[in-house]
Amino acid sequence: MPDINEVKDILETMSDIFSRTGRVCVDSVCQCSSETKDRWAVVPRLQGTFDYIFTLGNANSKFQSLLAVGIQSSSIQGFFQETVSDEMLMDVFGEIANQFCGLLMDSREFTGKFGVLVQSLPQYSITQAYFPKVWGIEGKTWCGNSWISIGYAIRPALLPGSR
């Protein structure tokens, strides 16, 4: 099982998988033709300052992960043809997150390193979320001049009673 430092190296080799998965999910849910303008970056902590944030935890006996989807209010209209309520936006983010995690589980490269992770209950935040210091990968998926941020952090699972 990879340790916390090896996780960083593994994520760096999977940048294309994550960015491609983000585009597929955004295109499917938002009915747009998105693009990636910059390579997704490995970061020591996911960014958590967005007007709207959706998170979805995943775990198995060896790893714990967190998917975060964020958007600024100014980007919302670039992804939708009509006005969307906060509730609808959270449903859209939930669908992007579910698809994203599901598609990762279809990636043999991902599951070969981390196994199959099971999703937990989603959580929503407005304005800011604080994420733990855990290696992750994040990037923006663009539709015109608007973007959605997607980040995925993963670490070895903590055993009961450990820190």
Side-chain angles (χ1 to χ4, degrees), residues 45-55 66 68-73 90 93 123-132:
R45 177 181 311 211
L46 297 181
Q47 180 182 348
T49 53
F50 301 102
D51 293 335
Y52 295 91
I53 303 167
F54 176 92
T55 60
L66 179 72
V69 181
I71 194 167
Q72 302 297 67
S73 295
M90 292 300 113
F93 277 12
Q123 295 186 16
Y124 310 98
S125 300
I126 295 177
T127 308
Q128 187 166 344
Y130 180 79
F131 296 119

Side-chain angles (χ1 to χ4, degrees), residues 19-35 79-80 88 91-100 103 141-143 148 150:
S19 64
R20 181 175 55 250
T21 301
R23 285 191 315 273
V24 167
C25 296
V26 169
D27 289 357
S28 170
V29 175
C30 298
Q31 299 294 299
C32 67
S33 181
S34 65
E35 65 179 317
F79 286 92
F80 305 100
M88 184 177 173
D91 286 345
V92 167
F93 277 12
E95 190 57 33
I96 290 171
N98 284 327
Q99 284 187 22
F100 193 96
L103 289 172
T141 301
W142 294 80
C143 185
I148 291 175
I150 301 173

Side-chain angles (χ1 to χ4, degrees), residues 72-92:
Q72 302 297 67
S73 295
S74 59
S75 282
I76 293 171
Q77 199 60 39
F79 286 92
F80 305 100
Q81 300 301 317
E82 57 192 56
T83 302
V84 295
S85 66
D86 289 354
E87 292 80 18
M88 184 177 173
L89 185 62
M90 292 300 113
D91 286 345
V92 167

Side-chain angles (χ1 to χ4, degrees), residues 5 18 46 52 57 60 63 68 76 80 90 96 101 108 135-137 146 148 154:
N5 294 318
F18 284 93
L46 297 181
Y52 295 91
N60 60 24
F63 291 96
I76 293 171
F80 305 100
M90 292 300 113
I96 290 171
C101 291
R108 288 186 182 173
W135 286 114
I137 187 165
S146 299
I148 291 175
I154 189 164

